[in-house]
Amino acid sequence: MKSSKLRRLLASKAFPLLIIFIVLEVVTIILSKGTVLKPVNILTLLYSLVIQVMMCTGLSCALISGNMDLSIAAQATLGSMLFSMLLMTSMPLWLCIVIAVAIAVAMGMLNTLLVNVFHFPSFIATIGLSSIYGGITYLITDGYNKPITNDAVLKFGAAKFGPIPLIFIIAIVLLIAFEIMLRKTNFGRYIYMCGGNPYAARLAGLNPDKTRMVMFLINSILSVGGGIFYAAQTTTAHPTAITQAAPNMTATAAAILGGVSFFGGTGTLLGPLVGLFLINALKNMFQILDLNTYWNVVCQGVLLLLALFIDYVNIKRKEDAMVKAALSK
């Protein structure tokens, strides 16, 4: 039993990433003479991972279901800005949270409307919506920051469970919960089936449109939630900070590096988590080596292209194998 689990681990797409991450961390520790292990540096890393984990969890679920969402950073920004503006009123906190969730649901439903009803490719639809959400953010704020004024939200953003930020624990718990949902529930199996072959899934009696809607809703709620968490930890909602701290490309690169197929139907959520750690390890190394931080963006692009190429090759191999098997019968 243990040997079979070990073989599955060694054969997983995330295992090589884990090895690379460990090597990078060892090199970074040596180059920094151990300063990277200081509690303040580790704390900064955990805080920076919160919104990335939230966005990557939602995007990975969407990708597995066969859909792409390039509006997650814009959704997180708009949701956090509206939430902070609501807090400035006399409105109770619980109502602000309910309205923020309703805003996330509305954005998810808009994604669903364009893809399910008007049959836009999700890639194209969410690019357009990203621009719209970004424009609305600037219109309602004139480009200015909105400070978080609610004491309960500020305490939540700064709360720790021992030495670990509470919001980081929540982000990881959510990722694990959705991983269990994907692996252990019937709905999780429906997601893989609809993402792998929506036509066959429809013939089997499933409803890919409904599955797509649920995935877009989950994705939007997690994105807006991540934006609110980020605003709570930084004490300010900023119109551009989220796109810099957790751009769409970071979540996409981590998901595909972690074994989630761009074409849908395969992948887990633990792989993208390792991908996020790897991307942040590269960023730390560039900072320690005093290299231009834009090289990190270049490396993310290279890693994304490499992961997409490997994903494409794997898909082609499966298709060729299926054709050969069909012809041999």
Side-chain angles (χ1 to χ4, degrees):
M1 189 69 168
K2 290 183 179 179
S3 61
S4 63
K5 288 183 178 180
L6 179 61
R7 282 196 295 269
R8 283 199 298 270
L9 174 64
L10 295 175
S12 67
K13 295 180 181 179
F15 183 74
L17 293 184
L18 184 61
I19 298 301
I20 296 172
F21 167 71
I22 293 172
V23 171
L24 282 176
E25 281 299 295
V26 171
V27 173
T28 303
I29 291 169
I30 294 172
L31 291 175
S32 67
K33 297 179 180 179
T35 57
V36 73
L37 294 177
K38 288 183 177 180
V40 64
N41 292 330
I42 296 175
L43 196 62
T44 300
L45 173 63
L46 295 181
Y47 272 122
S48 67
L49 278 169
V50 172
I51 186 171
Q52 294 180 18
V53 170
M54 296 279 282
M55 288 171 55
C56 192
T57 299
L59 180 64
S60 297
C61 288
L63 283 170
I64 291 170
S65 70
N67 301 282
M68 181 64 179
D69 192 346
L70 291 176
S71 66
I72 50 177
Q75 289 186 56
T77 300
L78 178 57
S80 64
M81 296 299 289
L82 290 172
F83 180 73
S84 64
M85 293 171 71
L86 289 171
L87 288 176
M88 293 178 182
T89 68
S90 57
M91 195 175 295
L93 176 59
W94 69 266
L95 186 55
C96 295
I97 295 172
V98 170
I99 294 175
V101 172
I103 291 168
V105 169
M107 289 191 283
M109 290 303 295
L110 186 54
N111 285 344
T112 305
L113 176 68
L114 293 180
V115 177
N116 280 357
V117 178
F118 295 102
H119 304 293
F120 280 39
S122 58
F123 189 92
I124 302 300
T126 54
I127 286 178
L129 288 173
S130 177
S131 180
I132 292 172
Y133 297 148
I136 293 173
T137 300
Y138 280 103
L139 283 172
I140 63 177
T141 63
D142 289 327
Y144 290 106
N145 301 346
K146 298 296 178 182
I148 300 294
T149 56
N150 186 281
D151 289 338
V153 176
L154 292 174
K155 288 179 181 178
F156 172 73
K160 295 179 184 176
F161 188 80
I164 305 174
L166 177 62
I167 54 176
F168 176 77
I169 295 174
I170 293 173
I172 295 298
V173 168
L174 285 170
L175 182 143
I176 293 172
F178 281 104
E179 173 74 358
I180 293 172
M181 181 271 289
L182 287 172
R183 290 194 180 194
K184 303 296 183 180
T185 67
N186 288 333
F187 183 67
R189 286 186 281 273
Y190 297 161
I191 293 169
Y192 283 107
M193 292 173 66
C194 292
N197 192 328
Y199 304 106
R202 197 181 297 276
L203 291 173
L206 303 181
N207 190 336
D209 289 347
K210 184 178 180 180
T211 302
R212 187 179 297 114
M213 179 187 71
V214 174
M215 289 298 98
F216 274 134
L217 289 175
I218 289 172
N219 188 36
S220 295
I221 291 171
L222 287 175
S223 295
V224 172
I228 292 172
F229 281 14
Y230 187 80
Q233 77 183 57
T234 58
T235 71
T236 305
H238 194 284
T240 59
I242 289 177
T243 56
Q244 295 171 357
N248 295 324
M249 191 177 73
T250 297
T252 306
I256 297 176
L257 277 171
V260 176
S261 175
F262 186 79
F263 303 97
T266 60
T268 67
L269 297 184
L270 297 181
L273 181 62
V274 178
L276 281 178
F277 277 106
L278 175 61
I279 290 171
N280 282 274
L282 278 172
K283 182 179 179 181
N284 287 340
M285 178 176 284
F286 288 139
Q287 291 174 342
I288 289 169
L289 293 175
D290 199 24
L291 297 175
N292 191 318
T293 54
Y294 293 120
W295 278 110
N296 182 51
V297 181
V298 174
C299 283
Q300 283 190 42
V302 172
L303 288 173
L304 177 58
L305 286 174
L306 179 61
L308 284 169
F309 175 73
I310 294 172
D311 186 34
Y312 174 76
V313 170
N314 288 334
I315 292 294
K316 289 296 293 181
R317 284 178 178 173
K318 289 180 181 178
E319 289 179 349
D320 293 341
M322 289 174 65
V323 170
K324 288 180 180 179
L327 292 175
S328 63
K329 290 183 178 180

PDB file of all heavy atoms in Angstrom, residues 147-176:
ATOM      1  N   PRO A 147      -8.530  53.079   2.243  1.00  0.00           N
ATOM      2  CA  PRO A 147      -8.051  52.430   3.476  1.00  0.00           C
ATOM      3  C   PRO A 147      -9.126  51.574   4.129  1.00  0.00           C
ATOM      4  O   PRO A 147     -10.319  51.861   4.031  1.00  0.00           O
ATOM      5  CB  PRO A 147      -7.672  53.622   4.366  1.00  0.00           C
ATOM      6  CG  PRO A 147      -8.541  54.739   3.869  1.00  0.00           C
ATOM      7  CD  PRO A 147      -8.671  54.537   2.387  1.00  0.00           C
ATOM      8  N   ILE A 148      -8.694  50.500   4.771  1.00  0.00           N
ATOM      9  CA  ILE A 148      -9.595  49.666   5.559  1.00  0.00           C
ATOM     10  C   ILE A 148      -9.759  50.311   6.934  1.00  0.00           C
ATOM     11  O   ILE A 148      -8.768  50.541   7.639  1.00  0.00           O
ATOM     12  CB  ILE A 148      -9.044  48.237   5.715  1.00  0.00           C
ATOM     13  CG1 ILE A 148      -8.870  47.581   4.339  1.00  0.00           C
ATOM     14  CG2 ILE A 148      -9.951  47.403   6.598  1.00  0.00           C
ATOM     15  CD1 ILE A 148     -10.148  47.340   3.593  1.00  0.00           C
ATOM     16  N   THR A 149     -10.983  50.610   7.307  1.00  0.00           N
ATOM     17  CA  THR A 149     -11.242  51.351   8.545  1.00  0.00           C
ATOM     18  C   THR A 149     -11.903  50.500   9.625  1.00  0.00           C
ATOM     19  O   THR A 149     -12.055  50.966  10.750  1.00  0.00           O
ATOM     20  CB  THR A 149     -12.143  52.567   8.252  1.00  0.00           C
ATOM     21  OG1 THR A 149     -13.360  52.098   7.617  1.00  0.00           O
ATOM     22  CG2 THR A 149     -11.448  53.539   7.302  1.00  0.00           C
ATOM     23  N   ASN A 150     -12.292  49.291   9.306  1.00  0.00           N
ATOM     24  CA  ASN A 150     -12.998  48.451  10.261  1.00  0.00           C
ATOM     25  C   ASN A 150     -11.997  47.699  11.141  1.00  0.00           C
ATOM     26  O   ASN A 150     -11.130  46.971  10.639  1.00  0.00           O
ATOM     27  CB  ASN A 150     -13.900  47.469   9.505  1.00  0.00           C
ATOM     28  CG  ASN A 150     -14.780  46.659  10.419  1.00  0.00           C
ATOM     29  OD1 ASN A 150     -14.338  45.694  11.026  1.00  0.00           O
ATOM     30  ND2 ASN A 150     -16.043  47.053  10.525  1.00  0.00           N
ATOM     31  N   ASP A 151     -12.127  47.853  12.449  1.00  0.00           N
ATOM     32  CA  ASP A 151     -11.177  47.229  13.381  1.00  0.00           C
ATOM     33  C   ASP A 151     -11.209  45.704  13.304  1.00  0.00           C
ATOM     34  O   ASP A 151     -10.167  45.045  13.392  1.00  0.00           O
ATOM     35  CB  ASP A 151     -11.482  47.669  14.817  1.00  0.00           C
ATOM     36  CG  ASP A 151     -11.131  49.132  15.067  1.00  0.00           C
ATOM     37  OD1 ASP A 151     -10.296  49.659  14.317  1.00  0.00           O
ATOM     38  OD2 ASP A 151     -11.703  49.734  15.986  1.00  0.00           O
ATOM     39  N   ALA A 152     -12.406  45.136  13.140  1.00  0.00           N
ATOM     40  CA  ALA A 152     -12.522  43.677  13.076  1.00  0.00           C
ATOM     41  C   ALA A 152     -11.786  43.124  11.860  1.00  0.00           C
ATOM     42  O   ALA A 152     -11.114  42.087  11.950  1.00  0.00           O
ATOM     43  CB  ALA A 152     -13.991  43.279  13.039  1.00  0.00           C
ATOM     44  N   VAL A 153     -11.896  43.800  10.719  1.00  0.00           N
ATOM     45  CA  VAL A 153     -11.207  43.364   9.502  1.00  0.00           C
ATOM     46  C   VAL A 153      -9.691  43.498   9.663  1.00  0.00           C
ATOM     47  O   VAL A 153      -8.925  42.616   9.256  1.00  0.00           O
ATOM     48  CB  VAL A 153     -11.702  44.167   8.288  1.00  0.00           C
ATOM     49  CG1 VAL A 153     -10.911  43.791   7.037  1.00  0.00           C
ATOM     50  CG2 VAL A 153     -13.189  43.932   8.057  1.00  0.00           C
ATOM     51  N   LEU A 154      -9.252  44.593  10.277  1.00  0.00           N
ATOM     52  CA  LEU A 154      -7.815  44.798  10.491  1.00  0.00           C
ATOM     53  C   LEU A 154      -7.239  43.739  11.437  1.00  0.00           C
ATOM     54  O   LEU A 154      -6.146  43.219  11.196  1.00  0.00           O
ATOM     55  CB  LEU A 154      -7.575  46.201  11.064  1.00  0.00           C
ATOM     56  CG  LEU A 154      -7.880  47.374  10.119  1.00  0.00           C
ATOM     57  CD1 LEU A 154      -7.753  48.693  10.856  1.00  0.00           C
ATOM     58  CD2 LEU A 154      -6.954  47.349   8.911  1.00  0.00           C
ATOM     59  N   LYS A 155      -8.000  43.415  12.500  1.00  0.00           N
ATOM     60  CA  LYS A 155      -7.539  42.372  13.421  1.00  0.00           C
ATOM     61  C   LYS A 155      -7.492  41.016  12.724  1.00  0.00           C
ATOM     62  O   LYS A 155      -6.593  40.214  12.958  1.00  0.00           O
ATOM     63  CB  LYS A 155      -8.462  42.310  14.637  1.00  0.00           C
ATOM     64  CG  LYS A 155      -8.310  43.494  15.577  1.00  0.00           C
ATOM     65  CD  LYS A 155      -9.281  43.392  16.749  1.00  0.00           C
ATOM     66  CE  LYS A 155      -9.143  44.592  17.683  1.00  0.00           C
ATOM     67  NZ  LYS A 155     -10.119  44.532  18.809  1.00  0.00           N
ATOM     68  N   PHE A 156      -8.482  40.771  11.866  1.00  0.00           N
ATOM     69  CA  PHE A 156      -8.505  39.512  11.119  1.00  0.00           C
ATOM     70  C   PHE A 156      -7.288  39.402  10.205  1.00  0.00           C
ATOM     71  O   PHE A 156      -6.657  38.344  10.115  1.00  0.00           O
ATOM     72  CB  PHE A 156      -9.789  39.440  10.299  1.00  0.00           C
ATOM     73  CG  PHE A 156      -9.839  38.286   9.339  1.00  0.00           C
ATOM     74  CD1 PHE A 156     -10.032  36.994   9.792  1.00  0.00           C
ATOM     75  CD2 PHE A 156      -9.686  38.500   7.971  1.00  0.00           C
ATOM     76  CE1 PHE A 156     -10.065  35.928   8.906  1.00  0.00           C
ATOM     77  CE2 PHE A 156      -9.722  37.449   7.079  1.00  0.00           C
ATOM     78  CZ  PHE A 156      -9.909  36.153   7.549  1.00  0.00           C
ATOM     79  N   GLY A 157      -6.952  40.498   9.517  1.00  0.00           N
ATOM     80  CA  GLY A 157      -5.807  40.483   8.602  1.00  0.00           C
ATOM     81  C   GLY A 157      -4.483  40.286   9.309  1.00  0.00           C
ATOM     82  O   GLY A 157      -3.541  39.731   8.730  1.00  0.00           O
ATOM     83  N   ALA A 158      -4.393  40.714  10.559  1.00  0.00           N
ATOM     84  CA  ALA A 158      -3.136  40.606  11.311  1.00  0.00           C
ATOM     85  C   ALA A 158      -3.098  39.407  12.247  1.00  0.00           C
ATOM     86  O   ALA A 158      -2.068  39.137  12.865  1.00  0.00           O
ATOM     87  CB  ALA A 158      -2.910  41.884  12.120  1.00  0.00           C
ATOM     88  N   ALA A 159      -4.211  38.670  12.358  1.00  0.00           N
ATOM     89  CA  ALA A 159      -4.290  37.559  13.306  1.00  0.00           C
ATOM     90  C   ALA A 159      -3.337  36.430  12.921  1.00  0.00           C
ATOM     91  O   ALA A 159      -3.067  36.197  11.737  1.00  0.00           O
ATOM     92  CB  ALA A 159      -5.726  37.038  13.371  1.00  0.00           C
ATOM     93  N   LYS A 160      -2.833  35.737  13.943  1.00  0.00           N
ATOM     94  CA  LYS A 160      -1.923  34.611  13.725  1.00  0.00           C
ATOM     95  C   LYS A 160      -2.366  33.428  14.570  1.00  0.00           C
ATOM     96  O   LYS A 160      -2.922  33.586  15.651  1.00  0.00           O
ATOM     97  CB  LYS A 160      -0.490  34.994  14.090  1.00  0.00           C
ATOM     98  CG  LYS A 160       0.115  36.080  13.215  1.00  0.00           C
ATOM     99  CD  LYS A 160       1.517  36.417  13.671  1.00  0.00           C
ATOM    100  CE  LYS A 160       2.102  37.580  12.870  1.00  0.00           C
ATOM    101  NZ  LYS A 160       3.437  37.956  13.386  1.00  0.00           N
ATOM    102  N   PHE A 161      -2.108  32.257  14.045  1.00  0.00           N
ATOM    103  CA  PHE A 161      -2.307  31.021  14.794  1.00  0.00           C
ATOM    104  C   PHE A 161      -0.914  30.510  15.126  1.00  0.00           C
ATOM    105  O   PHE A 161      -0.264  29.855  14.320  1.00  0.00           O
ATOM    106  CB  PHE A 161      -3.081  30.007  13.959  1.00  0.00           C
ATOM    107  CG  PHE A 161      -3.481  28.781  14.724  1.00  0.00           C
ATOM    108  CD1 PHE A 161      -4.578  28.795  15.566  1.00  0.00           C
ATOM    109  CD2 PHE A 161      -2.747  27.606  14.610  1.00  0.00           C
ATOM    110  CE1 PHE A 161      -4.949  27.663  16.275  1.00  0.00           C
ATOM    111  CE2 PHE A 161      -3.106  26.476  15.315  1.00  0.00           C
ATOM    112  CZ  PHE A 161      -4.211  26.506  16.153  1.00  0.00           C
ATOM    113  N   GLY A 162      -0.454  30.876  16.338  1.00  0.00           N
ATOM    114  CA  GLY A 162       0.952  30.652  16.635  1.00  0.00           C
ATOM    115  C   GLY A 162       1.772  31.637  15.816  1.00  0.00           C
ATOM    116  O   GLY A 162       1.479  32.828  15.773  1.00  0.00           O
ATOM    117  N   PRO A 163       2.798  31.140  15.092  1.00  0.00           N
ATOM    118  CA  PRO A 163       3.591  32.046  14.258  1.00  0.00           C
ATOM    119  C   PRO A 163       3.056  32.220  12.838  1.00  0.00           C
ATOM    120  O   PRO A 163       3.595  32.994  12.056  1.00  0.00           O
ATOM    121  CB  PRO A 163       4.960  31.343  14.227  1.00  0.00           C
ATOM    122  CG  PRO A 163       4.619  29.886  14.298  1.00  0.00           C
ATOM    123  CD  PRO A 163       3.382  29.788  15.162  1.00  0.00           C
ATOM    124  N   ILE A 164       1.986  31.480  12.495  1.00  0.00           N
ATOM    125  CA  ILE A 164       1.496  31.448  11.109  1.00  0.00           C
ATOM    126  C   ILE A 164       0.290  32.363  10.951  1.00  0.00           C
ATOM    127  O   ILE A 164      -0.639  32.314  11.773  1.00  0.00           O
ATOM    128  CB  ILE A 164       1.120  30.011  10.703  1.00  0.00           C
ATOM    129  CG1 ILE A 164       2.304  29.068  10.922  1.00  0.00           C
ATOM    130  CG2 ILE A 164       0.678  29.968   9.244  1.00  0.00           C
ATOM    131  CD1 ILE A 164       1.989  27.611  10.684  1.00  0.00           C
ATOM    132  N   PRO A 165       0.265  33.194   9.901  1.00  0.00           N
ATOM    133  CA  PRO A 165      -0.897  34.071   9.679  1.00  0.00           C
ATOM    134  C   PRO A 165      -2.179  33.262   9.505  1.00  0.00           C
ATOM    135  O   PRO A 165      -2.196  32.250   8.797  1.00  0.00           O
ATOM    136  CB  PRO A 165      -0.536  34.808   8.392  1.00  0.00           C
ATOM    137  CG  PRO A 165       0.948  34.738   8.298  1.00  0.00           C
ATOM    138  CD  PRO A 165       1.335  33.440   8.928  1.00  0.00           C
ATOM    139  N   LEU A 166      -3.252  33.709  10.159  1.00  0.00           N
ATOM    140  CA  LEU A 166      -4.528  33.004  10.100  1.00  0.00           C
ATOM    141  C   LEU A 166      -5.057  32.937   8.673  1.00  0.00           C
ATOM    142  O   LEU A 166      -5.597  31.906   8.252  1.00  0.00           O
ATOM    143  CB  LEU A 166      -5.546  33.697  11.012  1.00  0.00           C
ATOM    144  CG  LEU A 166      -6.958  33.121  11.010  1.00  0.00           C
ATOM    145  CD1 LEU A 166      -6.955  31.677  11.494  1.00  0.00           C
ATOM    146  CD2 LEU A 166      -7.884  33.979  11.864  1.00  0.00           C
ATOM    147  N   ILE A 167      -4.894  34.023   7.908  1.00  0.00           N
ATOM    148  CA  ILE A 167      -5.439  34.029   6.555  1.00  0.00           C
ATOM    149  C   ILE A 167      -4.698  33.042   5.641  1.00  0.00           C
ATOM    150  O   ILE A 167      -5.288  32.490   4.709  1.00  0.00           O
ATOM    151  CB  ILE A 167      -5.416  35.452   5.935  1.00  0.00           C
ATOM    152  CG1 ILE A 167      -4.020  36.063   5.993  1.00  0.00           C
ATOM    153  CG2 ILE A 167      -6.413  36.361   6.608  1.00  0.00           C
ATOM    154  CD1 ILE A 167      -3.922  37.421   5.315  1.00  0.00           C
ATOM    155  N   PHE A 168      -3.421  32.785   5.931  1.00  0.00           N
ATOM    156  CA  PHE A 168      -2.689  31.769   5.168  1.00  0.00           C
ATOM    157  C   PHE A 168      -3.250  30.383   5.476  1.00  0.00           C
ATOM    158  O   PHE A 168      -3.433  29.557   4.568  1.00  0.00           O
ATOM    159  CB  PHE A 168      -1.198  31.817   5.498  1.00  0.00           C
ATOM    160  CG  PHE A 168      -0.387  30.737   4.818  1.00  0.00           C
ATOM    161  CD1 PHE A 168      -0.058  30.844   3.486  1.00  0.00           C
ATOM    162  CD2 PHE A 168       0.014  29.617   5.529  1.00  0.00           C
ATOM    163  CE1 PHE A 168       0.673  29.834   2.846  1.00  0.00           C
ATOM    164  CE2 PHE A 168       0.747  28.615   4.903  1.00  0.00           C
ATOM    165  CZ  PHE A 168       1.066  28.731   3.562  1.00  0.00           C
ATOM    166  N   ILE A 169      -3.543  30.118   6.748  1.00  0.00           N
ATOM    167  CA  ILE A 169      -4.122  28.831   7.138  1.00  0.00           C
ATOM    168  C   ILE A 169      -5.470  28.634   6.449  1.00  0.00           C
ATOM    169  O   ILE A 169      -5.777  27.550   5.934  1.00  0.00           O
ATOM    170  CB  ILE A 169      -4.265  28.751   8.667  1.00  0.00           C
ATOM    171  CG1 ILE A 169      -2.885  28.757   9.331  1.00  0.00           C
ATOM    172  CG2 ILE A 169      -5.047  27.493   9.069  1.00  0.00           C
ATOM    173  CD1 ILE A 169      -2.929  28.835  10.843  1.00  0.00           C
ATOM    174  N   ILE A 170      -6.287  29.693   6.422  1.00  0.00           N
ATOM    175  CA  ILE A 170      -7.601  29.603   5.784  1.00  0.00           C
ATOM    176  C   ILE A 170      -7.442  29.289   4.296  1.00  0.00           C
ATOM    177  O   ILE A 170      -8.171  28.457   3.739  1.00  0.00           O
ATOM    178  CB  ILE A 170      -8.391  30.911   5.988  1.00  0.00           C
ATOM    179  CG1 ILE A 170      -8.743  31.092   7.462  1.00  0.00           C
ATOM    180  CG2 ILE A 170      -9.664  30.912   5.134  1.00  0.00           C
ATOM    181  CD1 ILE A 170      -9.380  32.420   7.792  1.00  0.00           C
ATOM    182  N   ALA A 171      -6.493  29.959   3.636  1.00  0.00           N
ATOM    183  CA  ALA A 171      -6.262  29.733   2.201  1.00  0.00           C
ATOM    184  C   ALA A 171      -5.866  28.286   1.931  1.00  0.00           C
ATOM    185  O   ALA A 171      -6.366  27.648   0.987  1.00  0.00           O
ATOM    186  CB  ALA A 171      -5.193  30.694   1.680  1.00  0.00           C
ATOM    187  N   ILE A 172      -4.985  27.723   2.767  1.00  0.00           N
ATOM    188  CA  ILE A 172      -4.546  26.340   2.589  1.00  0.00           C
ATOM    189  C   ILE A 172      -5.688  25.370   2.880  1.00  0.00           C
ATOM    190  O   ILE A 172      -5.867  24.361   2.170  1.00  0.00           O
ATOM    191  CB  ILE A 172      -3.337  26.028   3.498  1.00  0.00           C
ATOM    192  CG1 ILE A 172      -2.121  26.874   3.083  1.00  0.00           C
ATOM    193  CG2 ILE A 172      -2.985  24.554   3.439  1.00  0.00           C
ATOM    194  CD1 ILE A 172      -1.626  26.621   1.676  1.00  0.00           C
ATOM    195  N   VAL A 173      -6.486  25.651   3.912  1.00  0.00           N
ATOM    196  CA  VAL A 173      -7.632  24.787   4.244  1.00  0.00           C
ATOM    197  C   VAL A 173      -8.625  24.768   3.083  1.00  0.00           C
ATOM    198  O   VAL A 173      -9.170  23.705   2.724  1.00  0.00           O
ATOM    199  CB  VAL A 173      -8.314  25.266   5.538  1.00  0.00           C
ATOM    200  CG1 VAL A 173      -9.663  24.584   5.727  1.00  0.00           C
ATOM    201  CG2 VAL A 173      -7.422  24.997   6.739  1.00  0.00           C
ATOM    202  N   LEU A 174      -8.864  25.921   2.471  1.00  0.00           N
ATOM    203  CA  LEU A 174      -9.767  25.976   1.321  1.00  0.00           C
ATOM    204  C   LEU A 174      -9.220  25.161   0.156  1.00  0.00           C
ATOM    205  O   LEU A 174      -9.963  24.425  -0.513  1.00  0.00           O
ATOM    206  CB  LEU A 174      -9.982  27.433   0.888  1.00  0.00           C
ATOM    207  CG  LEU A 174     -10.893  28.277   1.788  1.00  0.00           C
ATOM    208  CD1 LEU A 174     -10.832  29.747   1.382  1.00  0.00           C
ATOM    209  CD2 LEU A 174     -12.330  27.770   1.726  1.00  0.00           C
ATOM    210  N   LEU A 175      -7.906  25.277  -0.101  1.00  0.00           N
ATOM    211  CA  LEU A 175      -7.299  24.493  -1.180  1.00  0.00           C
ATOM    212  C   LEU A 175      -7.466  22.998  -0.921  1.00  0.00           C
ATOM    213  O   LEU A 175      -7.839  22.243  -1.824  1.00  0.00           O
ATOM    214  CB  LEU A 175      -5.820  24.855  -1.317  1.00  0.00           C
ATOM    215  CG  LEU A 175      -5.054  24.147  -2.442  1.00  0.00           C
ATOM    216  CD1 LEU A 175      -4.041  25.091  -3.083  1.00  0.00           C
ATOM    217  CD2 LEU A 175      -4.298  22.908  -1.920  1.00  0.00           C
ATOM    218  N   ILE A 176      -7.215  22.569   0.317  1.00  0.00           N
ATOM    219  CA  ILE A 176      -7.349  21.151   0.648  1.00  0.00           C
ATOM    220  C   ILE A 176      -8.803  20.699   0.524  1.00  0.00           C
ATOM    221  O   ILE A 176      -9.095  19.596   0.042  1.00  0.00           O
ATOM    222  CB  ILE A 176      -6.814  20.888   2.073  1.00  0.00           C
ATOM    223  CG1 ILE A 176      -5.298  21.126   2.117  1.00  0.00           C
ATOM    224  CG2 ILE A 176      -7.134  19.463   2.519  1.00  0.00           C
ATOM    225  CD1 ILE A 176      -4.710  21.079   3.509  1.00  0.00           C
TER     226      ILE A 176
END
